[in-house]
Amino acid sequence: MNRKIALITGATAGIGYETALLLAQNNYNLILTGRRKERLETLKAKLESSSECQILTLNFDIRIKADTEAALNSIPEEWKAIDVLINNAGLAAGLAPVNSADVQDWEDMIDTNVKGLLYTTRTVTPWMIERKSGHIISISSIAGKESYPNGSVYCGTKHAVAAISKAMRIELLPFGIKVSTIAPGAVETEFSLVRFHGDQEKASQVYNGFTPLSGKDIAETILFILSRPAHVNIDDLLIMPTSQASARDFNRK
Ligand code: NDP
Ligand code: 8X3
């Protein structure tokens, strides 16, 4: 294979999906993961029929350590030469204060955004270290820079992504492995629909009166980071809609 290999977690929707579309057109073969198998298969068929890209799909729940490790370790040897790991799979569940939030929502966010990211990174980094090459891009959030009311645990998980990435950057420095984080503001994907447990009306209200970022905006940012020369690393990139100045300040019309 003379294409590079990128592993994208959470490629069935939103940012991960758009990143798969863009990297397929930019000389990457892709390992795509997610729980929704049918979506993975449809995306694989779409990409293989529209580009030279080879696709491997892995269908597992990133919250489950044994399943995550088994799926990743099942990758054929030639696919283990992963150049790029995009830690994207994640969610917000609920929007409520600590005294009344649903504890299961907390478990889901911590297990996905923090523990799932760690299980994946723990499995893939030894392969990168062996080759003394690689680039890990993790999707943090404006919620990893600020904390807002009713978002304590989501904000906590995204602060954790930022903190873990900072330490990883130092740990992986001797091996020439780049570590980057992207912290987006509001991106219109399935994110709010998931946060509000399928309530489409509440989800749509999040993006009322302003133009949010799109999954494609973040995919293009990922490609920008990946296409810097070997001596350049983008450590951390904060990207916001023009109409958003903080986690809570929007210019809505
Ligand atoms: P989407 O809901 O559109 O996509 C989330 C992706 O994560 C899906 O492919 C989903 O796949 C996957 N995923 C979620 N839970 C699991 C799980 N347990 N196991 C495996 N895969 C899982 O949201 P976004 O594209 O917006 O979110 C991508 C990342 O960007 C997240 O980490 C999010 O926190 C972050 N982010 C989003 C922002 C936004 O405003 N949208 C802003 C800042 C950061 P499936 O359901 O098929 O398993
Ligand atoms: C998603 C953006 O502001 O809802 O990470 O936390 S926000």
Side-chain angles (χ1 to χ4, degrees), residues 91-92 95 139-144 146 148 151 154-155 158 183-187 191-192 195 206-207 240 244 246-248 250:
L91 81 163
L95 194 63
I139 310 300
S140 165
S141 170
I142 181 67
E146 296 173 31
Y148 53 82
Y154 181 67
C155 295
K158 290 301 177 179
V187 189
F191 176 85
S192 292
R195 168 169 252 172
V206 173
Y207 310 109
M240 303 289 278
Q244 183 181 3
S246 79
R248 300 166 74 185
F250 292 85

Side-chain angles (χ1 to χ4, degrees), residues 10 12 15 35-36 61-62 88 140 154 158 185 187 189-190:
T12 58
I15 294 170
R35 288 166 301 180
R36 286 171 286 183
D61 186 329
I62 206 166
N88 166 73
S140 165
Y154 181 67
K158 290 301 177 179
V187 189
T189 60
E190 293 178 9

Side-chain angles (χ1 to χ4, degrees), residues 24-253:
Q25 303 296 336
N26 283 275
N27 219 30
Y28 283 87
N29 287 328
L30 301 173
I31 304 169
L32 304 177
T33 87
R35 288 166 301 180
R36 286 171 286 183
K37 191 164 191 254
E38 210 180 298
R39 286 203 188 187
L40 286 175
E41 282 168 4
T42 306
L43 179 56
K44 175 179 162 74
K46 177 184 164 90
L47 294 178
E48 286 182 341
S49 65
S50 60
S51 70
E52 298 294 305
C53 185
Q54 291 177 39
I55 307 287
L56 189 71
T57 58
L58 297 175
N59 176 221
F60 63 90
D61 186 329
I62 206 166
R63 291 172 297 183
I64 303 171
K65 178 166 151 282
D67 290 0
T68 303
E69 289 174 350
L72 295 174
N73 284 316
S74 77
I75 294 173
E77 275 313 308
E78 68 271 23
W79 281 90
K80 285 184 180 165
I82 293 170
D83 298 286
V84 174
L85 166 61
I86 301 175
N87 281 320
N88 166 73
L91 81 163
L95 194 63
V98 281
N99 52 296
S100 64
D102 182 337
V103 173
Q104 187 56 50
D105 282 348
W106 290 351
E107 307 275 12
D108 288 341
M109 289 187 277
I110 293 166
D111 288 353
T112 309
N113 302 356
V114 182
K115 292 169 74 177
L117 178 147
L118 286 170
Y119 303 149
T120 307
T121 307
R122 173 67 184 84
T123 307
V124 170
T125 44
W127 304 334
M128 290 183 167
I129 286 174
E130 207 170 294
R131 299 171 56 240
K132 293 202 166 37
S133 167
H135 195 161
I136 301 168
I137 301 180
S138 298
I139 310 300
S140 165
S141 170
I142 181 67
K145 297 188 180 293
E146 296 173 31
S147 291
Y148 53 82
N150 303 327
S152 58
V153 172
Y154 181 67
C155 295
T157 64
K158 290 301 177 179
H159 277 72
V161 171
I164 290 163
S165 300
K166 277 183 200 163
M168 268 168 30
R169 190 174 300 118
I170 302 165
E171 291 164 1
L172 299 174
L173 182 64
F175 308 105
I177 297 169
K178 297 184 183 186
V179 176
S180 305
T181 43
I182 301 176
V187 189
E188 190 166 14
T189 60
E190 293 178 9
F191 176 85
S192 292
L193 194 60
V194 171
R195 168 169 252 172
F196 295 116
H197 300 295
D199 185 331
Q200 183 65 68
E201 203 184 320
K202 265 192 182 174
S204 305
Q205 280 167 12
V206 173
Y207 310 109
N208 270 352
F210 76 104
T211 306
L213 297 169
S214 65
K216 189 165 173 243
D217 292 323
I218 308 306
E220 287 172 350
T221 304
I222 289 171
L223 184 62
F224 171 78
I225 290 173
L226 289 176
S227 57
R228 293 313 85 210
H231 70 285
V232 177
N233 186 48
I234 306 294
D235 280 16
D236 182 42
L237 194 152
L238 173 63
I239 173 168
M240 303 289 278
T242 305
S243 300
Q244 183 181 3
S246 79
R248 300 166 74 185
D249 290 289
F250 292 85
N251 180 22
R252 293 182 198 266
K253 300 291 183 202

